[in-house]
């Protein structure tokens, strides 16, 4: 169902298709355009004479449902059932397929795929519709407004034709500058809860091709023996024992000092050979601390003056807290976390006539092209990318160093650059390989007056910044504050008087990255635990108490209150709780989307907790694919809660203690008994759904546990006094 | 010495050393890539295939131990149960990234082949060791029930 083609062939095919297809997209000035000079035209939808409609997908598909979502927009404006729109991944070419919210680069992240594409794909689909209608009207000699287009058929006055019959004459029509977009009241595909994902079939019969599945002729496999401590460098290695491994080709030191590159005829040979190699390392610049020390250092930092002020003034807030009737305060600790995508990292680089082709479940094509151009010393436009299905990302397939693509480039170049080389990470490489959610500590002191109202909020955070010093530093770091460390705190929709937010950077060679929902992974937990503690301290209902800080009338507050009210209603928050059960609530805004969750649990921390039911309410603007939204809510909740319950990356003398799933225990089928999602029927522009259900999941569970048990403020829960069944 | 393997009804002669996991023979030698590599240590289920109709973890199954058996992968699985499972998976939009789903489906077929009307507990026990990092579990549970319904109809 999906195919990928190289950019060069793609552009050739666009030109060759003139006359044989109606292709609609945009020109370099962002005006709607049709098949013309390929150099100046970017296709978004293609209709061929056989009536096949194909949406060109400019984002990658990692399970989040974007391919289905973008096809939905085309289907809607063309009045087609969704299952009649094929999907095809667009080539890597930022000039054509940039993410409109990312400036000049092509890439997927921050739950932006639908948000930045919504108008583009609808406009392209609507223009194609109007051109087909105009062509039919011309041929039949009838007014355009008497021509109907539905289910791939054009009809008027007793005339009937298939859309394929008119693609040639439609191509010759003027491209409408502003085609009429359907009114939301006319939507039949957008918002339809009963549609099937476009990738269901290939993903259930084994035919979907992921980067790990690529087998090119003459390809060899490379794996890397990396330093067991972050920041360590290779001193020497001995590969004598590897020589006996059948299929072992060669081992060579990486010029970066990062490890030993091991080549094999196939994956098993490369992995076996690597096991047989013994290396010595220089740890003088490495992270040599254990996790107890790291945690102590982080907690010490938040109990001291902050390095940077992110919001407000520490002195003014201190004054307000001095006058408070009571102060609630808490330290929080969040461990390093691996992403552990189901498909371990991998990509293949093969030579082409003018450069290379990268085969990758590529999340950030432009970043990968720039990094590969630098390593291989070839112009960026000669680095082509074939985007394959990605077996999950949770942020990991995009790093600011393009880490695994660069490793593949080195493996390719050091092998002579004439042969396809596939770089493979094992699960152990993945769990031990960094680019973690940073370990973070918070310290919060909230002052309440006699009536229980918040009068001041002192909030200090420390962790290794994700963006500082990287390519996006200028966009994200202001006055020393990497906003990804404090997002969700300093910009909370709650009206919190006297809020001070301070940030201290943590320094370590341990690599960190934008793990699913980035800073919100920890900030939501802290904000929503503190709100709950404040409500409890004055004997107030947690939902009602939060509402008091959401009635300032801002658009954000109205939407945040809306999901909170919806989740409360659907969970029967005010109704009786079954004996032995408890409920907890949390609400958070991230990536423009508002999510509230109510967790209902049975049991308690001491004897064992069971998550009986999660009620989720989401406002993500116009719900394009309700079932994809529900699936992403389920996914984000499961992903968030699995890590909050059980996961941590710990260190002994700088070495990661965990290896694989047996000691980095995943969420299982029995961990959550039921999740139900309720979607606000919003008319706001659509926002993302891949991440926003993760942030509230941890604190909603923690707040439910706290009803009869401890306030869990150090994670993971299972290592801090909570038993789970 | 080449090993003879019967996979999806076809005989393949493969020349790999003893001790090679069946997973890597299926994927790298025979290029049947629907069977996935997730952990290599029998801890995720992504590599599940059927050996004589029983789900096994191919990453911890050695090639010399399956000579003379009938091996079935996601590409070759075909039965009344298999089509009910695939239909249910489609109806419920179970897949997300999809990387675990071959294994989930092979396990679900294993379960429904021995027990066409499993309870929720039985589903959870049987499917417990199939990891899905996208957390599609709720839909997996419902889809197994739906497949059971299709089979019983
Ligand atoms: S790859 Fe075999 S169980 Fe994980
Ligand atoms: S669908 Fe992605 S791991 Fe299961």
């Amino acid at each position: 169902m999906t195919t990928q083609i190289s950019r060069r062939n793609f552009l050739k095919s666009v030109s060759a298709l003139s006359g044989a297809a109606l292709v609609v997209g945009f020109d370099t000035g962002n005006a709607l355009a049709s098949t013309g000079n390929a150099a100046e035209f970017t296709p978004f939808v293609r209709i061929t004479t056989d009536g096949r409609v194909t949406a060109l997908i400019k984002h990658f598909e990692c399970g989040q449902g974007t391919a289905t979502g973008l096809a939905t927009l085309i289907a809607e404006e063309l009045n087609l059932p969704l299952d009649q729109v094929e999907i095809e991944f667009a080539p890597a070419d930022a000039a054509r397929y940039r993410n409109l919210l990312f400036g000049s680069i092509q890439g997927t992240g921050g739950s932006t795929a639908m948000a930045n594409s919504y108008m583009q794909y609808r406009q392209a689909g609507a223009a194609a519709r109007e051109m087909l209608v105009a062509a039919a009207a011309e041929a039949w000699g009838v007014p355009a407004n008497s021509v109907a287009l539905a289910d791939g058929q054009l009809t008027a006055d007793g005339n009937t034709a298939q859309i394929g019959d008119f693609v040639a004459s439609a191509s010759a029509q003027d491209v409408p500058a502003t085609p009429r977009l359907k009114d939301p009241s006319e939507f039949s595909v957008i918002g339809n809860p009963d549609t099937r994902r476009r990738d269901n079939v290939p993903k259930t019969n084994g035919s979907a091709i992921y980067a790990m599945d690529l087998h090119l002729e003459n390809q060899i496999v490379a794996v890397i023996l990396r330093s067991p401590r972050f920041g360590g460098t290779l001193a020497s290695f001995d590969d004598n024992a590897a020589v006996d491994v059948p299929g072992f080709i060669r081992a060579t030191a990486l010029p970066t000092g990062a490890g030993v590159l091991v080549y094999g005829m196939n994956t098993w040979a490369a992995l076996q050979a690597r096991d047989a190699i013994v290396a010595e390392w220089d740890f003088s610049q490495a992270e040599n601390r254990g996790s107890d020390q790291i945690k102590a250092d982080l907690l010490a930092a938040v109990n001291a003056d902050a390095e940077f002020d992110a919001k407000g003034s520490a002195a003014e807030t201190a004054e307000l807290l001095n006058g408070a009737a009571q102060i609630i305060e808490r330290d929080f600790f969040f461990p390093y976390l691996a992403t552990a995508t189901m498909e371990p990292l991998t990509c293949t680089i093969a030579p082409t006539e003018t450069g290379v082709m990268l085969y990758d479940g590529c999340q950030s094509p432009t970043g990968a092209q720039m990094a590969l151009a630098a390593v291989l010393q070839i112009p960026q436009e000669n680095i082509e990318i074939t985007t394959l299905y990605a077996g999950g990302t949770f942020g990991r397939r995009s790093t600011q160093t393009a880490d695994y693509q660069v490793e593949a480039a080195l493996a390719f170049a050091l092998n002579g650059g004439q042969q396809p080389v596939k770089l493979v990470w094992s699960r152990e490489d993945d769990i031990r390989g960094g680019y973690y959610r940073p370990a973070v500590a918070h310290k919060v002191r909230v002052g309440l007056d006699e009536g229980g109202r918040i009068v001041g909020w002192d909030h200090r955070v420390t962790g290794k910044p994700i963006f500082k010093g990287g390519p996006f530093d200028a966009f994200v770091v202001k006055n020393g504050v990497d906003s990804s460390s404090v997002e969700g705190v300093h910009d909370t929709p709650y009206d919190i008087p006297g809020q001070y937010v301070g940030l201290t950077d943590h320094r370590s060679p341990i690599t960190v990255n934008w793990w699913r929902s980035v800073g919100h992974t920890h900030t939501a937990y802290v904000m929503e635990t503190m709100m709950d503690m404040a409500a409890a301290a004055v004997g107030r209902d947690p939902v009602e108490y939060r509402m008091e800080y959401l009635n300032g009338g801002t658009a954000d507050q109205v939407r945040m209150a809306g999901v909170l009210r919806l989740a409360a209603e659907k969970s029967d928050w005010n109704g009786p709780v079954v004996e032995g059960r408890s409920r907890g609530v949390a609400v958070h805004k991230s990536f423009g989307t508002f999510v509230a969750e109510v967790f209902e649990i049975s049991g308690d921390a001491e004897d064992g907790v069971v998550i009986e039911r999660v009620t989720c309410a989401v406002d993500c603007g116009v719900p394009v694919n309700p079932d994809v939204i529900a699936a992403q809510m389920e996914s984000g909740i499961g992903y968030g809660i699995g890590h909050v319950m059980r996961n941590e990356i710990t260190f002994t003398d700088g070495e990661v203690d965990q290896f694989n799933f047996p000691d980095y225990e995943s969420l299982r089928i029995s961990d959550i008994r039921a999740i139900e999602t309720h979607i606000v029927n919003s008319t706001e522009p659509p926002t993302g759904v891949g991440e926003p259900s993760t942030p509230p999941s941890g604190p909603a569970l923690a707040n439910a546990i706290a009803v009869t048990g401890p306030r869990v403020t150090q994670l993971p829960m299972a290592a801090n006094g909570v038993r789970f069944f | 010495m080449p090993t003879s393997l019967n996979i999806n009804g076809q005989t393949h002669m493969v020349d790999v050393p003893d001790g090679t996991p069946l997973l890597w023979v299926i994927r790298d030698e025979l290029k049947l890539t629907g069977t996935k590599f997730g952990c290599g240590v029998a801890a995720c289920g992504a590599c599940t295939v059927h050996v004589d109709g029983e789900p096994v973890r191919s990453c911890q199954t050695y090639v010399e131990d399956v000579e003379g058996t009938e091996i079935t992968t996601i590409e070759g699985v075909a039965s009344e149960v298999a089509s009910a499972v695939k239909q249910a998976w489609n109806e419920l939009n179970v897949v997300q990234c999809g990387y675990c789903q071959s294994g989930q489906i092979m396990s679900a077929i294993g379960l429904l082949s021995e027990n066409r009307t499993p309870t929720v507990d039985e589903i959870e026990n049987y499917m417990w060791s199939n990891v899905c990092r996208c957390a599609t579990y709720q839909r997996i549970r419902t889809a197994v029930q739906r497949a059971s319904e299709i089979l019983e109809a």
Side-chain angles (χ1 to χ4, degrees):
Chain A
M1 185 168 61
T2 54
T3 49
Q4 297 84 25
I5 50 177
S6 77
R7 179 178 57 216
R8 205 156 282 106
N9 289 336
F10 175 79
L11 294 178
K12 258 189 241 152
S13 71
V14 169
S15 311
L17 279 168
S18 303
L22 171 61
V23 190
V24 178
F26 295 88
D27 68 14
T28 46
N30 287 329
L32 277 160
S34 177
T35 329
N37 182 343
E40 282 156 19
F41 169 66
T42 302
F44 276 74
V45 57
R46 180 174 66 231
I47 307 173
T48 42
T49 49
D50 55 4
R52 280 163 57 108
V53 178
T54 304
L56 286 311
I57 308 298
K58 68 174 187 173
H59 290 281
F60 89 141
E61 175 61 63
C62 57
Q64 84 281 40
T66 295
T68 300
L70 301 186
T72 298
L73 305 177
I74 298 286
E76 181 66 69
E77 294 295 346
L78 279 170
N79 289 335
L80 275 176
L82 177 56
D83 61 7
Q84 287 179 36
V85 178
E86 313 275 317
I87 55 178
E88 181 177 308
F89 293 115
D93 189 342
R96 296 168 188 283
Y97 292 112
R98 70 190 188 92
N99 181 324
L100 302 181
L101 297 173
F102 282 4
S104 58
I105 63 174
Q106 184 180 3
T108 306
S111 297
T112 57
M114 180 54 74
N116 94 96
S117 307
Y118 185 61
M119 294 311 281
Q120 272 187 323
Y121 281 78
R122 287 182 63 202
Q123 284 164 346
R129 180 188 72 226
E130 292 194 357
M131 291 165 79
L132 287 163
V133 165
E138 193 176 273
W140 296 334
V142 298
N145 63 12
S146 71
V147 179
L149 169 60
D151 290 342
Q153 251 189 8
L154 291 148
T155 48
D157 276 356
N159 296 295
T160 301
Q162 305 301 315
I163 51 174
D165 301 339
F166 276 110
V167 295
S169 50
S171 302
Q173 300 292 323
D174 289 342
V175 184
T178 50
R180 191 187 82 85
L181 299 181
K182 287 168 85 172
D183 185 80
S185 64
E186 300 168 81
F187 286 167
S188 62
V189 192
I190 292 177
N192 185 337
D194 193 29
T195 52
R196 305 274 87 80
R197 283 180 69 111
R198 296 303 288 125
D199 49 0
N200 276 347
V201 173
K203 288 179 176 177
T204 49
N205 66 13
S207 67
I209 298 296
Y210 300 78
M212 190 66 89
D213 300 334
L214 198 73
H215 286 100
L216 299 175
E217 205 177 320
N218 199 26
Q219 145 192 313
I220 59 172
V221 173
V223 298
I224 294 174
L225 180 62
R226 296 177 186 79
S227 167
R229 300 187 199 183
F230 292 94
T233 50
L234 183 68
S236 64
F237 74 95
D238 175 351
D239 64 356
N240 280 330
V243 174
D244 296 333
V245 174
F248 168 64
I249 300 173
R250 185 172 70 256
T252 184
L254 275 167
T256 54
V260 185
L261 195 48
V262 184
Y263 296 98
M265 293 303 292
N266 55 53
T267 323
W268 181 241
L271 291 171
Q272 291 283 100
R274 180 174 69 172
D275 282 351
I277 292 173
V278 183
E280 300 291 332
W281 305 92
D282 172 354
F283 292 137
S284 57
Q285 302 300 311
E287 175 60 85
N288 292 315
R289 290 176 296 172
S291 9
D292 289 348
Q293 187 61 49
I294 293 173
K295 182 173 177 178
D297 292 349
L298 286 162
L299 287 169
V302 284
N303 279 288
D305 284 345
E307 206 175 345
F308 309 106
D309 293 337
K311 181 183 179 185
S313 134
E316 279 168 31
T317 297
E319 195 118 321
L320 293 165
L321 293 179
N322 276 338
Q326 69 170 302
I327 296 212
I328 44 174
E329 65 174 279
R330 205 46 86 106
D331 289 351
F332 292 81
F333 175 75
F334 302 87
Y336 284 103
L337 293 175
T339 38
T341 56
M342 198 75 226
E343 176 193 23
L345 297 175
T346 179
C347 65
T348 299
I349 296 184
T352 60
E353 268 167 40
T354 54
V356 297
M357 174 68 82
L358 167 70
Y359 296 87
D360 186 18
C362 196
Q363 181 167 5
S364 294
T366 310
Q369 283 173 314
M370 286 165 61
L372 263 51
V375 173
L376 297 171
Q377 296 289 304
I378 49 180
Q380 198 178 319
E381 60 268 24
N382 293 348
I383 313 246
E384 297 182 65
I385 300 178
T386 297
T387 298
L388 302 162
Y389 280 121
T393 180
F394 318 119
R396 181 63 185 88
R397 284 181 214 276
S398 170
T399 62
Q400 291 164 91
T401 54
D403 66 305
Y404 70 94
Q405 292 98 342
V406 165
E407 288 181 350
L410 291 168
F412 172 78
L414 292 169
N415 184 50
Q418 301 300 317
Q419 184 178 22
V421 177
K422 177 183 194 173
L423 178 89
V424 174
W425 283 47
S426 66
R427 177 60 58 201
E428 290 80 5
D429 294 335
D430 170 61
I431 299 289
R432 302 169 66 76
Y435 293 94
Y436 299 134
R437 192 283 302 274
V440 180
H442 289 237
K443 163 131 199 147
V444 189
R445 299 178 73 231
V446 177
L448 305 176
D449 67 15
E450 299 288 350
R453 294 229 14 121
I454 297 168
V455 293
W457 184 297
D458 182 305
H459 198 136
R460 298 171 191 215
V461 185
T462 188
K464 183 175 176 179
I466 296 168
F467 290 90
K468 194 176 266 189
F472 307 111
D473 182 304
F475 303 102
V476 181
V477 182
K478 299 265 148 54
N479 302 322
V481 177
D482 186 320
S483 64
S484 73
S485 301
V486 293
E487 58 187 2
V489 178
H490 75 301
D491 55 355
T492 176
Y494 287 128
D495 269 329
I496 294 180
Q499 192 186 30
Y500 166 72
V501 183
L503 175 66
T504 300
D505 288 346
H506 180 70
R507 288 161 185 86
S508 165
I510 300 169
T511 48
V512 299
N513 202 39
W514 35 55
W515 196 95
R516 192 177 197 170
S517 80
V518 203
H520 300 282
T521 58
H522 50 93
T523 59
Y525 194 99
V526 175
M527 292 300 294
E528 287 302 281
T529 299
M530 293 307 298
M531 283 305 266
D532 225 66
M533 287 175 70
V538 293
R540 299 285 308 280
D541 174 78
V543 170
E544 237 179 69
Y545 190 78
R546 283 172 173 79
M547 286 294 187
E548 284 177 19
Y549 297 89
L550 293 172
N551 57 17
T554 69
D556 273 10
Q557 290 177 341
V558 170
R559 296 177 75 184
M560 189 134 139
V563 290
L564 184 55
R565 202 174 297 114
L566 183 60
E569 177 199 317
K570 298 294 183 183
S571 64
D572 195 21
W573 178 263
N574 292 319
V577 183
V578 176
E579 162 107 36
R581 294 199 179 187
S582 320
R583 292 191 194 122
V585 68
V587 59
H588 194 74
K589 176 199 179 190
S590 59
F591 310 98
T593 293
F594 302 79
V595 180
E597 291 165 23
V598 173
F599 270 59
E600 182 165 324
I601 60 168
S602 61
D604 59 35
E606 208 172 307
D607 296 326
V609 167
V610 175
I611 301 169
E612 299 286 350
R613 176 170 166 235
V614 180
T615 309
C616 171
V618 53
D619 179 347
C620 55
V622 174
V624 175
N625 299 105
D627 197 54
V628 169
I629 295 168
Q632 284 313 296
M633 293 301 110
E634 293 157 22
S635 175
I637 289 166
Y639 194 75
I641 222 63
H643 290 88
V644 161
M645 287 162 75
R646 304 197 179 94
N647 294 138
E648 58 184 331
I649 293 291
T650 58
F651 299 85
T652 302
D653 296 335
E655 272 186 46
V656 175
D657 295 320
Q658 291 73 25
F659 286 86
N660 199 317
F661 285 131
D663 45 21
Y664 194 76
E665 183 50 51
S666 193
L667 184 88
R668 302 283 174 161
I669 193 168
S670 49
D671 283 326
I672 304 177
R673 295 233 159 115
I675 303 176
E676 56 179 68
T677 298
H678 303 273
I679 304 170
V680 173
N681 202 0
S682 169
T683 52
E684 298 290 327
T687 47
V689 293
E691 299 170 275
S693 72
T694 297
S697 62
L701 173 61
N703 293 339
I705 291 171
V707 172
T708 61
R711 283 280 167 200
V712 190
T713 52
Q714 319 256 316
L715 296 181
M717 288 177 168
N720 288 281
V722 183
R723 275 192 64 205
F724 291 99
F725 279 113
Chain B
M1 201 184 58
T3 312
S4 160
L5 294 179
N6 178 333
I7 300 184
N8 299 334
Q10 283 188 328
T11 305
H12 299 269
M13 299 302 290
V14 295
D15 197 3
V16 297
D18 278 4
T20 302
L22 176 61
L23 170 70
W24 294 114
V25 175
I26 292 173
R27 286 183 54 83
D28 279 5
E29 300 292 319
L30 306 178
K31 319 274 194 276
L32 289 168
T33 54
T35 303
K36 302 303 190 198
F37 164 54
C39 68
V41 298
C44 77
C47 65
T48 306
V49 300
H50 292 175
V51 172
D52 291 334
E54 292 280 326
V56 303
R57 306 295 186 233
S58 64
C59 67
Q60 289 290 317
T61 303
Y62 302 104
V63 62
E64 64 274 18
D65 296 335
V66 286
E67 230 181 329
T69 66
E70 280 182 28
I71 299 160
T72 310
T73 70
I74 185 76
E75 291 91 346
V77 71
S79 63
E80 189 198 3
V81 174
S83 45
V85 167
K86 288 185 191 181
Q87 182 189 331
W89 247 247
N90 184 37
E91 281 179 17
L92 284 148
N93 288 323
V94 173
V95 308
Q96 289 191 24
C97 85
Y99 195 81
C100 73
Q101 299 293 347
S102 298
Q104 304 283 359
I105 287 171
M106 294 306 275
S107 289
I109 295 170
L111 165 61
L112 289 165
S113 299
E114 65 183 56
N115 174 3
R116 285 165 80 104
T117 53
T119 62
V120 168
D121 277 353
E122 286 169 337
I123 295 171
E124 290 187 351
N125 284 335
Y126 198 95
M127 301 295 293
W128 189 87
S129 49
N130 279 87
V131 166
C132 174
R133 294 294 292 164
C134 300
T136 62
Y137 297 121
Q138 158 145 312
R139 286 162 191 252
I140 290 171
R141 190 164 47 218
T142 316
V144 173
Q145 291 171 310
R146 172 71 188 125
S148 160
E149 217 174 86
I150 296 167
L151 289 168
E152 291 296 293

